[in-house]
Amino acid sequence: MRLKRVWILLMIVLPLPLLAQEGPLLYLVSDGQNVHIILHNTPSEADGFKAYRRGPDDSAFLPMTTSTVTALSDPYQANELFQSDAEWLARRFETSDPVRLWRKIQVNRGYARAYSLVSPGLRMALGRTLVDRSVSPGRTYRYRIVLVDRRGAEIERVNRRITVKAADEVEAPSAVSAEQEDEDFLISWGYRPYRGRASDLTVGFHVYRRTDKASEDGQVQRINDAPVLRIEDYLSYYDNGVKEGVSYRYGVQAVDMIGRVSEIVYSKPVQRRDTKAPLVPMGLTAIDTDEGVRLLWNLSPEEDVRSYHVYRSDSLEGEYTRINAKALPFDTPDFTDTQVVRGQAWFYRVSAVDAAGNESAPCGAVTIIPADSEPPAAVSGLSGEVDPEKRSVRLRWNPSAEADLKGYFVYRVQGDENMLRITPAPIAPVKRPEFSDRSAHKDGLLPGAEYHYLVSAVDNSGNESERSRISLEIPDLVPPRKVFSFSARSNREGHVELRWQPSLSRDLQTHRIFRMDADEKPGVIAELEAAETSYLDSEVQRGRAYTYFVVEVDRAGNSSEESRHRRLVPVDATAPGSPQELSAQREKNKVRLTWQPPEDEDVVGYRIYRAAYPKAKIQRVGPELIESSEYITPLTTASAVYTVRAVDTSGNEGDGISVQLGRTE
């Protein structure tokens, strides 16, 4: 309602939209004795006007003034022209100082233009009107108005004619009504729509108030200091000067541009009702008793208070519900809430109601938690199911029927660990309570482990029931991790030493050792206990390639991925013996060498060296490795010395045997 009033006031101080946009450039108005020339919808660049008149005895238009009609420059002269309008103009522009008032009027042209329609003095000070007092009733006159700009150049000219006679009576308003809003009255009325015609001179309204009771003075009082401007769809006015219990009638009177008025049209009688709510009750306190929550507050000091209402909510900013079925007597500020649920915070507020039915705002809320020491009953129907793939558990149980139930707690025990509550806050009550657990580990519960779950009910006071229990085992479907840092190497004897860092899996049971060569499929050569970290494979042949890997096996028989494959050829560090019975025979331009193999079983070939003479530098002849015990080489010199050395599978080269052509060393 207050927002509507502000809007109406803003509209009053703004230019009239219909009059400003659709109205004529000027009005010629006769009051029977004079002719009023009133500028209205002029161009923005217009700074003044020149007026000419041609009477019935004139042969041409004659100037009416010696100079252009413009706004006054002297604020004090303007203030004198305002006359009785000076007071309300000062209020509208918020200053009574003539200089400041005139400056504000000149700056706020839109406001000034609107007010000039209902204030002849302001209109004259603004240079927007001229009164021709030298006319004769019943005669017709022609007027020429020339609009000029600040340089005196003509902008536009208008010719009008008028016969001096009394104008028609000002049309009265219609449908005047008054409606109470809070402690004020909103007066509204109707008026025919403005059509933008030069004959439509009504620009505002006066509002009157009179009392209807014989005990009052009964005089009519005008309550608007300035005419209410005529604004389409906003014909209303607020009166805040009424008394309670007094009957009033409101009257509205139309006013035209030159101050003529219509008859006053009155509303039906209205009387201000009591719409003022009583004061807010004070001193509200809440006490926990065996019967419930007792509320006490101060007796209202207001004479017209007849009763109280009590409201309750489960949160401070939540919705409050009235809990007193009957109004509480004004002299009994006392109420006990017997339907409260204990162990929960409750918020209470109290309001007062007067004889007219006006209810005060509720007082500030007080809060209380009624005490409760009795625990709820234990939950029933506890069951659980295990998801082996997700390694999770889902628990279900029957809902508790406790009225003050806050929720449920869930606990977990695994092995020798302490019992752990895995619900930081109670699970909220629902029709089908359940809880899923995967533990805090990202992969879920431990495979192969047995867990014990306990579920209890807890009420609003923190009382906890006995704990129902169930045990569940998580199937082990998770293989252990593969070993770390697996390595394989030969020792001096030509055996294979395998070493690894075991998997960190808790349920690791066996290391399964696999071996394969180029012609075989992988085969298990050993199964070792979890504590073992090495293995010696002595069942290998030196010089033959082998590939090894390890697989971890847990107690449930799950196998890990294969470790990294390690490929090697077993070698030893012992050189073979010397060949035996080396001989060299000349055959034309060639030399045939023959010898007997040493006793070593891992000899794979021989290397042959030649020197030009004894103790000379030797050099190898023939291929890298000779597999037979005979070799023919070209003859280079008759005194050549030949040496033969055996090579084993590990690449070890033994001591040689030498022979000179014709003799054996």
Side-chain angles (χ1 to χ4, degrees), residues 379-386 392-399 410 432-437 451-455 468-472:
V379 300
S380 61
L382 178 61
S383 63
E385 59 183 28
V386 177
S392 64
V393 167
R394 175 176 291 180
L395 305 175
R396 291 188 174 92
W397 59 91
N398 298 328
V410 179
R432 297 180 180 179
E434 64 176 44
F435 179 76
S436 295
D437 179 35
Y451 290 91
H452 307 285
Y453 288 92
L454 300 91
V455 180
S468 301
R469 184 186 184 99
I470 189 174
S471 298
L472 299 168

Side-chain angles (χ1 to χ4, degrees), residues 315-358:
S315 66
L316 179 61
E317 301 297 335
E319 182 178 354
Y320 285 78
T321 303
R322 177 178 157 182
I323 59 176
N324 58 305
K326 297 181 179 180
L328 305 176
F330 74 94
D331 58 351
T332 311
D334 187 343
F335 180 78
T336 300
D337 182 9
T338 59
Q339 304 300 317
V340 68
V341 177
R342 293 186 172 275
Q344 176 181 343
W346 294 101
F347 299 83
Y348 293 91
R349 305 173 79 175
V350 176
S351 66
V353 182
D354 64 15
N358 301 308

Side-chain angles (χ1 to χ4, degrees), residues 168-306:
D168 297 333
E169 292 184 356
V170 179
E171 182 179 341
S174 62
V176 178
S177 64
E179 181 181 355
Q180 183 175 347
E181 292 188 0
D182 289 343
E183 300 179 10
D184 306 335
F185 276 111
L186 171 64
I187 301 97
S188 304
W189 58 92
Y191 206 78
R192 58 178 173 77
Y194 178 76
R195 301 302 182 188
R197 298 172 183 172
S199 59
D200 193 347
L201 305 179
T202 301
V203 292
F205 304 90
H206 292 317
V207 182
Y208 299 88
R209 180 183 66 213
R210 78 180 187 189
T211 56
D212 273 1
K213 281 192 174 182
S215 59
E216 302 292 339
D217 54 24
Q219 294 182 351
V220 177
Q221 177 186 4
R222 177 177 155 182
I223 59 177
N224 62 308
D225 56 353
V228 178
L229 294 182
R230 178 183 177 184
I231 303 175
E232 302 294 337
D233 300 325
Y234 291 97
L235 301 180
S236 58
Y237 185 80
Y238 273 94
D239 180 20
N240 58 4
V242 296
K243 300 178 181 179
E244 186 178 334
V246 179
S247 181
Y248 297 95
R249 285 179 182 268
Y250 286 93
V252 180
Q253 180 184 56
V255 183
D256 71 5
M257 291 183 182
I258 59 176
R260 295 177 303 178
V261 296
S262 72
E263 65 173 325
I264 302 175
V265 179
Y266 283 93
S267 69
K268 294 181 180 180
V270 291
Q271 187 172 356
R272 189 184 121 182
R273 305 182 307 277
D274 179 9
T275 59
K276 184 177 180 180
L279 296 175
V280 174
M282 305 294 289
L284 178 62
T285 59
I287 304 171
D288 187 7
T289 67
D290 293 339
E291 291 77 19
V293 175
R294 185 181 183 188
L295 302 170
L296 300 172
W297 59 94
N298 298 339
L299 192 69
S300 175
E302 298 194 53
E303 294 182 357
D304 63 341
V305 168
R306 294 293 180 266

Side-chain angles (χ1 to χ4, degrees), residues 70-72 77-78 81-82 102 120-129:
T70 59
L72 294 177
Q77 290 182 4
L81 288 176
F82 295 161
W102 186 236
L122 175 59
R123 193 162 61 234
M124 189 168 293
L126 290 173
R128 298 183 65 82
T129 189

Side-chain angles (χ1 to χ4, degrees), residues 27-39 49-53 63-65 69 81 83 116 119-125 127-136 141 143 145 162 164 257-259:
Y27 290 92
L28 281 183
V29 184
S30 170
D31 60 6
Q33 299 295 326
N34 307 299
V35 173
H36 299 259
I37 303 171
I38 303 173
L39 295 186
F49 69 93
K50 297 178 180 179
Y52 302 87
R53 188 189 74 181
M64 297 178 62
T65 61
V69 179
L81 288 176
Q83 299 181 4
S116 69
S119 174
L122 175 59
R123 193 162 61 234
M124 189 168 293
R128 298 183 65 82
T129 189
L130 182 66
V131 180
D132 186 1
R133 305 183 187 277
S134 61
V135 295
S136 300
Y141 296 86
Y143 292 88
I145 306 302
I162 189 171
V164 181
M257 291 183 182
I258 59 176

